[in-house]
Amino acid sequence: MEESQLLPNLFRTEYRKIVSVLCYLFGIENIEIAEDITSDTFLAATELWSVKGIPENPTAWLYTVAKNKTKNYLKRDTLFEQKIAVEVKHNANKAEEIEIDLSNKNIFDSQLAMIFTVCDPINSAEAQIALALNLLCGFGIQEIADGFLNNKEVIYKRINRAKEKLKEANVKIEQPSNSEINNRLENVLTTLYLLFSEGYYSTSQNTILRKDVCAEAMRLTFLLIENPATNLPPVNALLSLMCFHSSRFDARTNSDGETILYQNQDETLWNQELIEKGTYFLGKASTGNTLTKYHLEAGIAYWHTQKEDSAQKWENILQLYNQLLILEYSPIAALNRTFALAKTNRKQIAIIEAEKLQLTDNHFYYSLLGNLYTDLDNKKALEHFEKALLLANSVSDKNIIKQNIGKLKI
């Protein structure tokens, strides 16, 4: 790795670890202090490494400096000495007796505890995602703003409000008990699912950023799998789903960042290693009697990694959508089901089902109807594509619709 890339890469991978450990030690109410100490550590690296050169073991250097800065803060800060130090270590007489443990095990434990803290339902889903990107993934405010296609000030306020809510509710950063896992795992998985979706379905043209967001969602999900108490079928199903979707990431857009529809994707660009991992985790998810939307969506995603346009493939996808809609109805899932219905039955049947949905504020609804009516009633197909064009927001979506309109006008 080039020297110019080393520190930014370390910031991404180590910032979150140090912050998690310090928050785990001092509590959510002192989150800003944990962030300040960690930021000061990286500031010191920026200043010293440019003069003295990069140390032999940069990560160890960062951990040592973070420990020393924490101990120095404890020595000089009256609040810590009189109150927080006592709470952290009941029998501590001196702040420096507190151990700042940056071992692999404690980093893992701290990050696991932070996942359940950040995903507390006291905050909205979008606030949880922004906080997760910041604290759990090490993304800066500007990066998050770019990912959300929002301005920096909005994200800054969103993250700060989320932190304040956690403090006001006195949410504890601790290893989740079995009862807490049972009560809160669903919310944690929902947040990780939405976090992954922010990267995978984002309209941002920054492909590297979008891939990084997906990778972070997968890393956090894998952290749950590495912990025996949270290595449960729904977690494996979610990671399986992420693997299958990620396997087609490079085939979904062209060099200009424009979307390539599934049927036009170059399957040689699909990542076979991720497909194999997805299959492995889907197998692990099949143990027990639990069936979640993640199982069903992972099954649908699996069949989409099979490029052959066979009757078996689309029949399986249709049946999985049927189960998904019974388990957890979603208008978008119902819309996607009609495409599978068109593949297994006649287009006319799919049109009847699609038009029942009346998703008149969604450009995908009109795009699907445009495709279904093509070659059956091209005039109606054109009308639907034109409505879709008016509703579409992204340049990529507009271009695809224009291409469909152009084919009908030839």
Side-chain angles (χ1 to χ4, degrees):
M1 183 181 296
E2 295 181 10
E3 290 187 9
S4 61
Q5 296 177 329
L6 177 62
L7 198 54
N9 184 66
L10 285 171
F11 186 87
R12 172 60 54 80
T13 59
E14 305 307 321
Y15 177 91
R16 64 198 181 204
K17 295 177 183 177
I18 299 171
V19 165
S20 292
V21 167
L22 294 181
C23 285
Y24 191 36
L25 184 63
F26 298 133
I28 197 71
E29 64 273 20
N30 301 297
I31 190 170
E32 285 83 5
I33 295 170
E35 291 177 297
D36 287 345
I37 290 171
T38 310
S39 296
D40 285 347
T41 299
F42 280 91
L43 180 61
T46 303
E47 293 172 346
L48 293 174
W49 293 5
S50 62
V51 176
K52 298 183 178 181
I54 296 172
E56 186 174 335
N57 189 331
T59 301
W61 188 97
L62 289 169
Y63 287 2
T64 299
V65 171
K67 288 180 181 181
N68 290 336
K69 284 185 175 294
T70 304
K71 289 177 180 178
N72 289 337
Y73 188 92
L74 296 176
K75 287 177 183 176
R76 69 174 186 267
D77 190 271
T78 305
L79 174 64
F80 261 79
E81 190 166 335
Q82 292 180 351
K83 181 183 177 184
I84 300 169
V86 176
E87 292 177 356
V88 172
K89 191 174 183 180
H90 295 293
N91 61 348
N93 295 316
K94 297 180 181 179
E96 57 263 31
E97 289 181 19
I98 298 172
E99 175 62 28
I100 295 88
D101 182 1
L102 284 161
S103 65
N104 287 335
K105 182 183 183 304
N106 197 51
I107 287 171
F108 174 84
D109 290 344
S110 301
Q111 289 190 307
L112 183 67
M114 284 293 285
I115 290 174
F116 278 81
T117 301
V118 167
C119 296
D120 193 292
I122 195 170
N123 281 310
S124 67
E126 63 179 12
Q128 290 177 47
I129 292 168
L131 199 57
L133 284 168
N134 185 230
L135 292 180
L136 300 178
C137 307
F139 283 89
I141 302 295
Q142 188 62 61
E143 287 180 294
I144 299 169
D146 291 343
F148 276 92
L149 297 180
N150 218 322
N151 68 61
K152 187 176 179 179
E153 187 64 24
V154 169
I155 299 301
Y156 179 78
K157 288 179 179 177
R158 184 178 297 169
I159 289 173
N160 281 341
R161 281 197 298 267
K163 290 176 184 175
E164 288 305 315
K165 282 190 174 182
L166 292 174
K167 289 181 191 178
E168 289 167 6
N170 196 26
V171 175
K172 301 296 183 185
I173 304 174
E174 55 192 6
Q175 291 303 302
S177 63
N178 287 334
S179 63
E180 285 174 324
I181 290 170
N182 290 334
N183 292 333
R184 293 182 47 193
L185 184 62
E186 184 177 346
N187 192 73
V188 169
L189 294 183
T190 298
T191 302
L192 296 178
Y193 175 82
L194 293 173
L195 180 61
F196 181 86
S197 297
E198 280 296 329
Y200 193 73
Y201 296 109
S202 171
T203 55
S204 168
Q205 296 299 304
N206 189 338
T207 305
I208 295 174
L209 174 61
R210 289 166 53 222
K211 279 187 176 180
D212 284 350
V213 172
C214 289
E216 283 301 309
M218 294 174 75
R219 180 185 68 83
L220 293 172
T221 307
F222 190 68
L223 272 179
L224 297 177
I225 285 176
E226 285 190 302
N227 178 47
T230 52
N231 184 15
L232 300 168
V235 183
N236 282 272
L238 177 57
L239 188 55
S240 171
L241 170 61
M242 292 175 174
C243 288
F244 288 138
H245 278 327
S246 294
S247 71
R248 296 191 292 110
F249 204 112
D250 290 335
R252 292 176 69 238
T253 55
N254 62 22
S255 57
D256 296 321
E258 296 176 333
T259 301
I260 299 174
L261 296 177
Y262 173 73
Q263 59 267 28
N264 299 324
Q265 289 177 10
D266 179 359
E267 64 183 297
T268 63
L269 296 177
W270 294 355
N271 188 316
Q272 293 301 317
E273 184 180 353
L274 279 172
I275 292 173
E276 289 173 8
K277 286 182 178 178
T279 305
Y280 169 79
F281 288 116
L282 188 56
K284 299 286 282 185
S286 65
T287 58
N289 300 317
T290 305
L291 181 68
T292 66
K293 71 171 185 176
Y294 306 117
H295 288 83
L296 298 169
E297 289 190 28
I300 292 167
Y302 162 77
W303 282 106
H304 277 89
T305 64
Q306 311 301 304
K307 190 63 186 282
E308 185 183 354
D309 210 26
S310 66
Q312 180 194 23
K313 168 183 170 177
W314 290 108
E315 183 59 38
N316 275 288
I317 290 174
L318 178 61
Q319 294 308 320
L320 287 165
Y321 269 123
N322 289 341
Q323 288 181 271
L324 181 60
L325 291 172
I326 293 169
L327 184 67
E328 186 174 316
Y329 182 83
S330 157
I332 298 302
L335 187 65
N336 291 335
R337 173 188 173 273
T338 61
F339 184 82
L341 189 62
K343 287 285 190 178
T344 57
N345 293 275
R346 292 179 297 120
K347 275 188 174 185
Q348 290 90 335
I349 294 174
I351 288 171
I352 293 170
E353 291 298 307
E355 288 180 337
K356 288 178 183 177
L357 299 173
Q358 287 296 301
L359 301 176
T360 54
D361 59 348
N362 189 312
H363 78 273
F364 291 115
Y365 171 70
Y366 288 112
S367 289
L368 177 65
L369 284 173
N371 279 299
L372 292 176
Y373 271 111
T374 296
D375 296 331
L376 292 178
D377 186 336
N378 284 348
K379 183 180 178 181
K380 275 193 174 182
L382 189 58
E383 289 173 359
H384 286 302
F385 281 131
E386 287 172 345
K387 288 179 182 177
L389 188 60
L390 290 173
L391 290 170
N393 292 316
S394 75
V395 174
S396 180
D397 287 339
K398 287 179 182 290
N399 286 339
I400 291 172
I401 296 166
K402 286 176 181 177
Q403 289 170 18
N404 286 322
I405 290 173
K407 290 175 185 177
L408 288 172
K409 288 184 174 180
I410 292 175

